[in-house]
Amino acid sequence: MSFPAAARGFVVFFLSVQVVQGQHGWGVTCSSTEICAVKGSTVEISCRYTYPFRWRGGVNTVEKTFWFAKQKDGEPVDLRTDSEYAGRVETLCENNICTLRIRNLRESDSAQYRFSIKTNQAAYIESPRVTLSVTDLQVKVSRAYLAQAELRCQTRCPGPDHTSYVWYNNGEKLWTGMSSSHFVNFSSADSYSCALNGNENHRSPSVCLLPGGLQTSSLFWPYNSCISTPSPPDAPKLPSVSVSPSAEIEEGSSVTLTCSTNANPAANYTWYKDETSYSLPLKEEPQLVLSSIHSSDSGVYFCTAKNKLGRRTSKKLFIDVKRRRRRL
């Protein structure tokens, strides 16, 4: 399954040798700058490029085209050589249009991707960043009364057209249809999960429906029954912190920090910067978004997770914001 995205205009800039958009025939445009896809699916990103036949007094020919999401020692790493994408990435270039296809998407694939071409005249050009967000499916109970409930299979991504959904009851296929909602009747403890048709190996976590109530199961398919007793109260475990994108961070980009832990009842999260800032929280949410980041945002970030049974502080996360490379 691919997720074609509508074009969002010409948002293009160039690095190195130093060509300017619209001058001398140089140009790159991509089909989208933001793409959202479901875990386990396949995504495609396409860019079209133009370049001058002659450059600096000589014939100008393309020697290499590649996609990258991170850099090593200041050089972009071709996705085809990145072990994290081994066996899942393929590229196709034809008529100055290059398409990147990533199969079996993982949540760790959420990153900013760029396309680059290099010519024999030591010139190279990079596309704008294309932000890919990979998310999982979830079952939400929108209405529940006694032994009836309306279930909705949803994700943070806008649903593609003509998507069909597969519903499961206690691990067995129950129903397939175009609607993301499904009404169920139950008389005993039953678990429900969903998947996109054609992507059944990546089902949502289950929701356990109990007569008179509901709970979310911590088990993933396959399994046969609900958890019949609620989890015992527990203080937060050591919170984990992550940063997206994981590649080198440049001024002007957007960075998201995420704090998570296991706790019962659910923990409340607070973000801080530097160890002396406990009295000055940055945000009281699981995610801290640093939009249009600046070099002054460099520093040590950490979060706390707290419920009525205790409070834990995460390990420190150092953010190093690089100055944007100069365009000549």
Side-chain angles (χ1 to χ4, degrees):
M1 179 185 297
S2 63
F3 290 75
R8 297 181 180 229
F10 297 91
V11 185
V12 184
F13 55 84
F14 302 93
L15 302 178
S16 186
V17 182
Q18 305 309 232
V19 295
V20 178
Q21 168 70 1
Q23 288 188 4
H24 310 296
W26 293 98
V28 175
T29 56
C30 296
S31 57
S32 178
T33 57
E34 294 183 13
I35 298 176
C36 186
V38 176
K39 180 180 176 181
S41 65
T42 297
V43 72
E44 293 181 353
I45 309 172
S46 295
C47 288
R48 178 189 296 272
Y49 66 88
T50 59
Y51 65 97
F53 176 72
R54 298 188 65 84
W55 181 253
R56 290 185 167 181
V59 175
N60 193 32
T61 58
V62 174
E63 291 189 335
K64 183 178 182 180
T65 61
F66 64 98
W67 295 82
F68 68 96
K70 58 187 177 183
Q71 296 184 344
K72 182 178 181 180
D73 299 327
E75 293 295 323
V77 178
D78 190 333
L79 285 181
R80 292 170 295 189
T81 66
D82 192 329
S83 60
E84 294 182 13
Y85 296 86
R88 301 190 298 119
V89 164
E90 58 182 316
T91 60
L92 174 66
C93 289
E94 188 175 22
N95 299 325
N96 289 20
I97 299 176
C98 284
T99 300
L100 168 68
R101 179 181 293 137
I102 308 176
R103 303 180 184 277
N104 192 20
L105 283 171
R106 306 168 180 171
E107 291 185 74
S108 60
D109 294 332
S110 296
Q112 292 181 327
Y113 294 82
R114 303 183 76 173
F115 168 71
S116 179
I117 66 171
K118 291 187 177 181
T119 75
N120 64 324
Q121 296 295 332
Y124 74 91
I125 182 174
E126 293 176 359
S127 73
R129 292 178 176 86
V130 178
T131 301
L132 171 64
S133 300
V134 181
T135 184
D136 213 344
L137 290 171
Q138 289 186 330
V139 175
K140 295 293 185 181
V141 181
S142 56
R143 286 185 291 178
Y145 179 72
L146 296 179
Q148 293 182 323
E150 179 185 3
L151 309 180
R152 182 176 295 275
C153 186
Q154 65 182 41
T155 175
R156 293 195 302 271
C157 296
D161 295 336
H162 310 301
T163 297
S164 62
Y165 299 84
V166 183
W167 286 94
Y168 299 88
N169 175 213
N170 296 330
E172 299 294 327
K173 184 178 289 188
L174 175 66
W175 178 80
T176 300
M178 300 299 294
S179 175
S180 61
S181 297
H182 186 58
F183 287 89
V184 296
N185 295 292
F186 56 97
S187 58
S188 60
D190 278 325
S191 66
Y192 294 88
S193 60
C194 67
L196 297 181
N197 195 15
N199 196 34
E200 289 88 343
N201 288 334
H202 294 274
R203 303 182 186 180
S204 70
S206 71
V207 164
C208 184
L209 298 178
L210 305 171
L214 64 94
Q215 67 185 59
T216 300
S217 170
S218 61
L219 296 179
F220 290 79
W221 173 86
Y223 55 87
N224 296 317
S225 62
C226 291
I227 298 176
S228 58
T229 58
S231 301
D234 195 12
K237 301 294 190 294
L238 178 68
S240 63
V241 293
S242 62
V243 57
S244 177
S246 58
E248 182 178 272
I249 299 171
E250 291 185 353
E251 285 187 328
S253 61
S254 178
V255 175
T256 301
L257 308 182
T258 302
C259 182
S260 61
T261 189
N262 291 324
N264 185 32
N268 295 314
Y269 299 93
T270 305
W271 278 98
Y272 301 89
K273 181 183 178 185
D274 302 324
E275 295 186 5
T276 60
S277 65
Y278 272 107
S279 61
L280 297 172
L282 295 177
K283 191 174 183 181
E284 295 181 349
E285 294 287 345
Q287 287 192 329
L288 174 64
V289 178
L290 303 174
S291 302
S292 189
I293 199 168
H294 191 268
S295 58
S296 61
D297 292 318
S298 295
V300 175
Y301 291 78
F302 62 95
C303 66
T304 61
K306 179 181 179 182
N307 67 10
K308 63 182 181 181
L309 299 177
R311 166 175 163 164
R312 293 293 298 273
T313 300
S314 72
K315 294 181 178 180
K316 308 300 187 293
L317 178 67
F318 179 68
I319 299 296
D320 183 18
V321 182
K322 305 292 186 182
R323 294 189 180 276
R324 187 182 295 276
R325 286 182 284 175
R326 183 182 301 174
R327 304 177 206 169
L328 302 178

